[in-house]
Amino acid sequence: METVIGASAAILSTVCWLPQTIRTWRTRHTKDLSLMANLLILASMSLWLTYGIMLHSWPMIVANTVAVVLVGSIIIAKLKFG
Amino acid sequence: METVIGASAAILSTVCWLPQTIRTWRTRHTKDLSLMANLLILASMSLWLTYGIMLHSWPMIVANTVAVVLVGSIIIAKLKFG
C-alpha cells in the first residue's frame, strides 16, 4: 500500500514538472522564469533526495532524481537563453 | 542526521510556496495562474502527505501539510478572483 501511494505521488509530481521543461526547451524563451525560484526548488529537491536515500524510500529517490534533472535543465536553459 | 536533512528540506520547500501565496492574496490577481497546474500540485502534495503519514516521517508530514494549506489557499483565491 505504501508503495502504491508512494509511486502515485512520484509519478504525479514528475508529471507536474514535464510541461514547464518541455515548453522551456521548445520555445527557448526563459524571460518569465525566476532563476531564484528555480534555484530554491533545486536545493529543496536535492535535500528531499538526500532524505529519501537516508530512508531507503524508492518513490522519493526516483521522484526527486527526475525532478532534480528536470529543474536542473530549466536552470541551464535560463542561464543559456537568458 | 536524517532529522536535520529532513527538517531542512521541509523548511526550504515551505519557503518556496510562501511568495506565491502572499502575492496571490495581496494582489487578488490570479489571471496568470494555471488552475490545472495548482490542482495537480495539490493532488501530488496530498499523496506525499499520505505517504509521509504511512512512513511516520515528521518532516514529510509537516512540509506537505503546510504546502497543501498554501496551495489550497492559492486555488481558493483563483476560484474566488478568477
Side-chain angles (χ1 to χ4, degrees):
Chain A
M1 188 62 186
E2 262 172 40
T3 313
V4 175
I5 297 286
S8 311
I11 291 166
L12 197 56
S13 56
T14 303
V15 166
C16 289
W17 283 107
L18 280 176
Q20 184 63 62
T21 311
I22 293 167
R23 185 190 185 92
T24 300
W25 281 95
R26 191 153 51 190
T27 65
R28 300 184 170 207
H29 287 169
T30 56
K31 196 171 71 67
D32 292 343
L33 299 180
S34 158
L35 181 61
M36 184 52 70
N38 278 281
L39 287 173
L40 270 177
I41 293 165
L42 187 74
S44 163
M45 299 293 189
S46 306
L47 284 169
W48 283 120
L49 175 58
T50 309
Y51 183 68
I53 293 168
M54 285 171 160
L55 293 188
H56 305 287
S57 158
W58 286 105
M60 289 191 75
I61 294 170
V62 172
N64 286 294
T65 302
V66 175
V68 162
V69 171
L70 295 180
V71 177
S73 88
I74 291 172
I75 292 171
I76 290 167
K78 175 72 183 175
L79 295 174
K80 200 172 152 88
F81 307 125
Chain B
M1 188 58 186
E2 265 173 37
T3 313
V4 175
I5 297 286
S8 312
I11 291 165
L12 198 54
S13 55
T14 302
V15 166
C16 289
W17 284 107
L18 280 177
Q20 184 63 63
T21 311
I22 293 166
R23 185 191 185 90
T24 300
W25 281 95
R26 190 153 52 191
T27 65
R28 302 184 169 207
H29 288 169
T30 56
K31 196 172 71 68
D32 291 345
L33 297 180
S34 158
L35 181 61
M36 182 53 70
N38 278 281
L39 287 173
L40 270 176
I41 293 166
L42 186 74
S44 163
M45 298 295 189
S46 306
L47 284 168
W48 283 120
L49 174 59
T50 309
Y51 183 67
I53 292 168
M54 285 171 157
L55 293 188
H56 305 287
S57 158
W58 287 105
M60 289 191 73
I61 294 170
V62 173
N64 286 296
T65 301
V66 175
V68 162
V69 171
L70 296 180
V71 177
S73 87
I74 291 172
I75 291 171
I76 290 167
K78 175 70 184 174
L79 294 174
K80 200 172 151 89
F81 307 124

